[in-house]
């Protein structure tokens, strides 16, 4: 399973765009890139997933270059409630479906007023 | 939120005693996972299940066993608890096939004294 490396922490201000980059040099052909958000005393919550190029949903965008060795989570116009830990992980398919993942230590994002 | 319940939510136990944590889901998802979370390590996969009676090891499985006799229940057993197993344990479920989005429970805080 591919391991990931991401910044330990980041600070931002309300209303700014935040980009968190993750490296996953050993990603395999069939692996997917997934990002989760975790608030204190809660389980992680899925944000977005992608395989290549760009994926966008209602809360974030995910940019993946052609070599797929890194990815960038983009959070537009963050608010104080976006203060959380963000995990980048690589999901490897197991069996006939489902995925096995390795979480890194995550990036602690602190949004200031 | 996905129908996933962990019990107990908090437990204190003595070194050497067996402990069983329960994860119950109402989503009928095929895949279930047990993670532990420790400061500085993010989440680490202990065991996972890809169906009734079908389980496999994760990256930190030593000292843990699991059982899944019904789709809805995934049990994690610490056969002889040690202080190094003091942690927060999360259960997760995911639909299959081909979906990397997992839903996490609220966690169980286990303290081994």
């Amino acid at each position: 399973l591919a391991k990931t490396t991401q910044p330990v922490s980041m600070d931002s201000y309300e209303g700014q765009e935040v980009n968190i980059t993750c490296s996953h040099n050993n990603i395999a052909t069939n692996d997917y890139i997934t990002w989760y958000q975790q608030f204190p005393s809660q389980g992680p919550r899925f944000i977005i997933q992608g395989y290549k190029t760009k994926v966008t949903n209602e809360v974030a965008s995910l940019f993946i270059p052609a070599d797929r060795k890194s990815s960038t989570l983009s959070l537009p116009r963050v608010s104080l409630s976006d203060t959380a830990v963000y995990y980048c992980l690589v999901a490897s398919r197991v069996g006939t479906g489902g995925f096995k993942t390795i979480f890194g230590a995550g990036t602690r994002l602190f949004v200031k007023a | 939120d996905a129908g996933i319940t962990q019990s107990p939510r908090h437990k204190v136990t003595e070194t050497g005693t067996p402990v069983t944590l329960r994860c119950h889901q109402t989503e009928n998802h095929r895949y279930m996972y047990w993670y532990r979370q420790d400061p500085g390590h993010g989440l680490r996969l202990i065991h996972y299940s890809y169906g009734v009676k079908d389980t496999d090891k994760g990256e930190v499985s030593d000292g843990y066993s699991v059982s899944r006799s019904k789709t809805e229940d995934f049990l994690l057993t610490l056969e002889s608890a040690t202080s190094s197993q003091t942690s927060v344990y999360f259960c997760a479920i995911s639909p299959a096939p081909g979906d990397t989005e997992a839903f996490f429970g609220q966690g169980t805080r286990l303290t081994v004294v």
Side-chain angles (χ1 to χ4, degrees):
Chain A
L1 296 179
K3 294 204 171 183
T4 60
T5 302
Q6 53 185 122
V8 173
S9 64
M10 296 179 68
D11 288 344
S12 182
Y13 288 92
E14 281 190 295
Q16 288 188 332
E17 178 184 75
V18 171
N19 295 309
I20 306 174
T21 297
C22 175
S23 67
H24 25 79
N25 293 319
N26 297 321
I27 191 167
T29 302
N30 294 328
D31 291 345
Y32 282 76
I33 298 149
T34 312
W35 286 79
Y36 281 80
Q37 175 192 57
Q38 186 179 27
F39 297 111
S41 301
Q42 294 186 24
R45 185 176 69 176
F46 174 87
I47 302 174
I48 197 167
Q49 74 172 48
Y51 184 78
K52 61 181 178 181
T53 63
K54 178 183 175 182
V55 180
T56 298
N57 63 20
E58 64 276 10
V59 297
S61 295
L62 178 60
F63 300 90
I64 305 168
D67 67 5
R68 305 201 326 123
K69 293 185 183 298
S70 66
S71 59
T72 299
L73 175 72
S74 181
L75 304 172
R77 298 178 297 282
V78 294
S79 63
L80 296 177
S81 63
D82 291 317
T83 293
V85 178
Y86 292 83
Y87 292 98
C88 161
L89 43 148
V90 171
S92 300
R93 190 178 293 276
V94 293
T96 57
F99 288 81
K100 190 168 159 180
T101 58
I102 287 188
F103 280 76
T107 296
R108 188 172 300 275
L109 174 65
F110 185 69
V111 180
K112 297 179 274 192
Chain B
D1 287 344
I4 177 169
T5 305
Q6 292 185 229
S7 59
R9 293 292 313 279
H10 302 272
K11 186 171 182 66
V12 179
T13 192
E14 294 185 350
T15 299
T17 61
V19 177
T20 295
L21 308 182
R22 181 183 184 232
C23 178
H24 179 78
Q25 61 145 331
T26 58
E27 304 296 321
N28 200 36
H29 285 344
R30 179 178 176 184
Y31 285 79
M32 300 185 75
Y33 313 81
W34 276 108
Y35 291 87
R36 62 176 290 176
Q37 185 169 35
D38 305 292
H41 287 277
L43 283 88
R44 292 181 290 176
L45 181 64
I46 305 171
H47 282 280
Y48 65 97
S49 169
Y50 46 98
V52 173
K53 292 186 171 34
D54 290 324
T55 64
D56 205 348
K57 296 179 180 179
E59 56 182 317
V60 290
S61 59
D62 288 348
Y64 301 95
S65 62
V66 290
S67 66
R68 190 162 177 207
S69 58
K70 300 185 289 184
T71 299
E72 58 266 35
D73 289 325
F74 192 32
L75 304 180
L76 176 71
T77 298
L78 290 66
E79 289 152 11
S80 178
T82 66
S83 58
S84 65
Q85 294 175 312
T86 292
S87 187
V88 179
Y89 291 85
F90 287 99
C91 174
I93 61 176
S94 67
D99 198 323
T100 64
E101 179 176 358
F103 301 95
F104 282 78
Q106 291 299 301
T108 294
R109 183 172 296 275
L110 176 67
T111 303
V112 183
V113 299

